[in-house]
Amino acid sequence: MIKEFRNLDQEESEFMLSVPILVCILIAGADGDIDRKEIREAISLAGKNKESKGILSDYFREVSSDFEDKLKVLIQSYPYESTQRDPIITEEISRINQLWPKLNPEFSINLYRMLLDLSEKIASSSGGWLGIKSVGSQEARYLKLPMIQDPSKI
């Protein structure tokens, strides 16, 4: 169990572990196509973050466990069309705002920053000139994760 989740119930804890995957699906699929580069980038980032130190280290170890399988299963559970999928995922991700007060402020702020970083890296992993570091207009509207309140400002 992740010590920062001690004030959360089982469902809330499971949701918190799914948030990075939901962000990956939202950003990668915003242009209507979740391509292999974006999935590889998400998997790579999960693996790198697993080795991190600090307040998010236990969280990353748990999130990165079977990340690829969790990502693929979750993708299949949503509508194929981004116009149908994006509003559902956006609404789900916004649930995190209700949980910020139950979490350690330092943990919340670091998690929020990590989610923004994840969003940016997924968005820039595909597209652009020769597929190099460009963010498409569809991805750009979600890039700053407007559905999530900055916990440092709550």
Side-chain angles (χ1 to χ4, degrees):
M1 168 116 182
I2 298 168
K3 66 182 177 183
E4 284 79 11
F5 290 1
R6 66 183 165 272
N7 295 326
L8 303 180
D9 63 32
Q10 183 67 30
E11 182 182 326
E12 290 169 333
S13 295
E14 288 174 13
F15 165 74
M16 289 299 295
L17 294 171
S18 73
V19 172
I21 298 170
L22 292 170
V23 167
C24 290
I25 295 169
L26 178 67
I27 301 300
D31 61 359
D33 179 40
I34 301 173
D35 69 37
R36 290 184 188 273
K37 286 182 193 175
E38 293 163 320
I39 290 177
R40 278 195 307 267
E41 182 67 16
I43 294 165
S44 171
L45 290 169
K48 288 176 188 172
N49 286 330
K50 174 173 70 172
E51 305 303 323
S52 73
K53 304 288 185 225
I55 196 161
L56 294 177
S57 61
D58 291 339
Y59 178 79
F60 282 129
R61 272 192 287 285
E62 189 68 31
V63 168
S64 65
S65 172
D66 300 325
F67 186 86
E68 183 174 2
D69 293 335
K70 292 173 190 171
L71 177 65
K72 289 177 180 179
V73 167
L74 210 51
I75 287 171
Q76 296 301 316
S77 70
Y78 290 101
Y80 178 77
E81 292 294 324
S82 63
T83 55
Q84 295 172 1
R85 180 183 58 239
D86 292 353
I88 296 168
I89 294 176
T90 300
E91 181 66 29
E92 283 189 43
I93 292 171
S94 73
R95 289 178 41 210
I96 200 170
N97 297 319
Q98 299 166 347
L99 301 179
W100 288 141
K102 294 183 174 187
L103 298 167
N104 171 320
E106 182 185 0
F107 177 85
S108 298
I109 291 166
N110 280 281
L111 178 59
Y112 176 70
R113 289 178 182 155
M114 181 278 299
L115 293 171
L116 289 173
D117 186 53
L118 177 66
S119 172
E120 185 178 317
K121 288 179 178 170
I122 296 295
S124 66
S125 69
S126 180
W129 186 69
L130 299 177
I132 301 172
K133 306 292 183 202
S134 177
V135 176
S137 61
Q138 298 93 342
E139 294 162 326
R141 67 185 155 156
Y142 296 121
L143 189 65
K144 297 293 181 192
L145 303 174
M147 74 291 302
I148 301 178
Q149 296 172 345
D150 181 343
S152 69
K153 297 180 180 177
I154 297 176

